[in-house]
C-alpha cells in the first residue's frame, strides 16, 4: 500500500516527525502537497468526508484518513515495527510522543507567544520573555525527563534495544533546537549526553542518513516551528 502524506510543502514542521517514521520504515509514500500542490491537500480538508482532518499533517492509508502527528505515529508504529508489540508498550510510546507534542508547541510559542496570527515583529518583546522562561524552566524539565529515561534504559534507545518512533522524534527535537538556538543549545547539551548520543545514533541509521542527504529532507527555515532569531539566542 502506498501512503499519502498531507502537509505543507515548504516546511518540516509537525509533518517531519511522520516523514522520519516513513523513511525509517522504508514505506512507499507520496508527499502529496509537494508533488501535487496545496489545493490537493485542501480538497480533502474541505471535503464532505465523515471524518475530515482539522489540520495537516494527516495520512491517507487506503480509505482511512488519520490526523494528528501522535495519532499517525501510533498507527504507523504498530504496522512497521516502530513501536512495542504489547499494548502496554504501545501506549507508553504513544504517551511519550504526546509529551513531545506538548514540547513542540512550547518551542513554537517562543517566537509567537501571543498568537500565530500576529507577526513575530508584533510580539518581539513578549517572545524574549517567553524564550528566557523556556530555557530556564521548560527545556530542563522536558529534555531532563527524556535524558533520565535514556539513562535508565536497558539499551541504546528510549525503550531499550529497539528503536521506536519516539527516538526519531527526539532526534528531530535536538536537531531543531540546534538550528533555532545554536548558542543556547550548545551550552545546554553538556547536561544531556544521552540525548546527544541518541541524536547521533539515529542520524547514522542507513535509511535516515540517506533521507537527510536527499532532497526529500526540507531544510530548516524561518517559516517552520524551529526558527532562528538571533535576538532570542543570547
Amino acid at each position: 500500500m502506498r501512503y499519502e502524506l498531507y502537509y505543507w510543502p515548504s516546511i518540516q514542521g509537525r509533518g517531519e516527525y511522520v516523514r522520519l517514521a516513513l523513511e525509517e520504515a522504508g514505506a512507499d509514500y507520496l508527499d502529496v502537497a509537494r508533488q501535487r500542490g496545496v489545493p490537493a491537500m485542501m480538497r480533502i480538508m474541505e471535503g464532505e468526508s465523515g471524518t475530515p482532518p482539522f489540520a495537516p499533517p494527516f495520512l491517507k492509508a487506503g480509505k482511512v484518513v488519520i490526523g494528528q502527528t501522535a495519532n499517525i505515529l501510533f498507527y504507523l508504529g504498530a504496522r512497521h515495527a516502530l513501536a512495542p508489540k504489547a499494548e502496554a508498550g504501545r501506549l507508553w510510546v504513544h504517551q511519550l510522543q504526546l509529551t513531545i507534542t506538548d514540547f513542540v508547541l512550547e518551542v513554537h510559542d517562543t517566537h509567537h507567544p501571543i498568537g500565530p496570527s500576529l507577526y513575530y515583529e508584533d510580539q518581539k518583546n513578549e517572545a524574549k520573555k517567553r524564550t528566557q522562561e523556556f530555557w530556564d524552566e521548560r527545556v530542563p524539565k522536558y529534555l531532563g525527563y527524556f535524558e533520565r529515561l535514556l539513562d535508565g534504559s536497558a539499551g541504546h534507545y528510549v525503550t531499550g534495544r529497539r528503536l521506536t518512533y519516539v527516538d526519531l522524534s527526539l532526534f528531530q527535537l535536538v536537531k531543531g533546537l540546534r538550528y533555532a538556538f545554536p548558542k543556547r543549545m550548545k551550552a545546554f547539551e553538556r547536561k544531556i549526553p544521552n540525548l546527544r548520543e541518541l541524536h547521533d545514533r539515529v542520524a547514522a541509521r542507513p535509511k535516515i542518513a540517506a533521507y537527510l542527504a536527499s532532497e526529500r529532507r526540507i531544510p530548516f527555515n524561518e517559516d517552520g516551528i524551529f526558527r532562528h532569531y538571533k535576538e532570542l539566542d543570547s
Side-chain angles (χ1 to χ4, degrees):
M1 177 177 62
R2 190 182 205 195
Y3 295 111
E4 293 183 359
L5 173 63
Y6 293 81
Y7 196 65
W8 305 110
S10 60
I11 61 173
Q12 292 182 17
R14 292 173 176 84
E16 193 65 15
Y17 301 91
V18 181
R19 292 189 187 108
L20 286 167
L22 291 167
E23 292 285 344
E24 172 62 25
D28 183 17
Y29 75 99
L30 177 68
D31 207 333
V32 176
R34 295 184 72 185
Q35 300 296 321
R36 300 177 182 171
V38 172
M41 180 172 71
M42 301 306 295
R43 280 195 292 272
I44 293 183
M45 292 177 61
E46 297 169 356
E48 297 181 357
S49 165
T51 58
F54 175 73
F58 54 93
L59 185 78
K60 189 174 181 183
K63 295 182 179 180
V64 178
V65 178
I66 308 148
Q68 295 288 355
T69 302
N71 202 32
I72 297 169
L73 292 172
F74 185 74
Y75 174 87
L76 292 174
R79 285 157 179 78
H80 295 282
L82 291 173
K85 293 182 179 179
E87 182 181 38
R90 292 198 307 274
L91 288 171
W92 168 238
V93 169
H94 184 53
Q95 177 179 321
L96 295 177
Q97 188 65 42
L98 289 169
T99 304
I100 290 172
T101 299
D102 290 341
F103 185 54
V104 170
L105 178 60
E106 296 207 25
V107 174
H108 171 272
D109 287 351
T110 59
H111 49 79
H112 278 74
I114 297 178
S117 60
L118 296 175
Y119 290 110
Y120 165 69
E121 288 73 19
D122 296 327
Q123 49 193 315
K124 189 177 293 187
N125 290 335
E126 291 83 359
K128 289 180 180 179
K129 293 178 182 178
R130 183 62 176 263
T131 298
Q132 191 60 51
E133 193 270 345
F134 175 75
W135 280 97
D136 287 347
E137 303 292 338
R138 309 307 288 168
V139 171
K141 183 172 184 177
Y142 277 99
L143 294 191
Y145 171 70
F146 287 107
E147 179 71 12
R148 291 193 302 275
L149 291 181
L150 284 164
D151 195 47
S153 173
H156 291 309
Y157 299 105
V158 172
T159 62
R161 291 179 294 176
R162 295 190 63 177
L163 174 134
T164 70
Y165 58 79
V166 162
D167 300 295
L168 299 172
S169 295
L170 288 172
F171 158 81
Q172 178 68 5
L173 278 183
V174 172
K175 197 81 167 175
L177 288 170
R178 285 177 174 177
Y179 172 80
F181 303 99
K183 291 181 180 179
R184 290 180 184 268
M185 190 59 175
K186 184 177 181 179
F188 186 79
E189 282 194 35
R190 60 183 175 80
K191 301 178 181 179
I192 51 168
N194 292 310
L195 278 169
R196 286 202 319 266
E197 292 176 5
L198 176 67
H199 167 276
D200 296 346
R201 193 172 293 119
V202 169
R205 292 180 69 87
K207 291 176 182 175
I208 295 299
Y211 169 61
L212 296 176
S214 75
E215 293 183 357
R216 297 190 303 281
R217 171 76 165 185
I218 300 169
F220 286 107
N221 58 61
E222 303 318 306
D223 293 323
I225 292 171
F226 295 101
R227 305 185 189 184
H228 176 61
Y229 295 110
K230 187 180 296 186
E231 60 268 26
L232 300 183
D233 187 34
S234 60

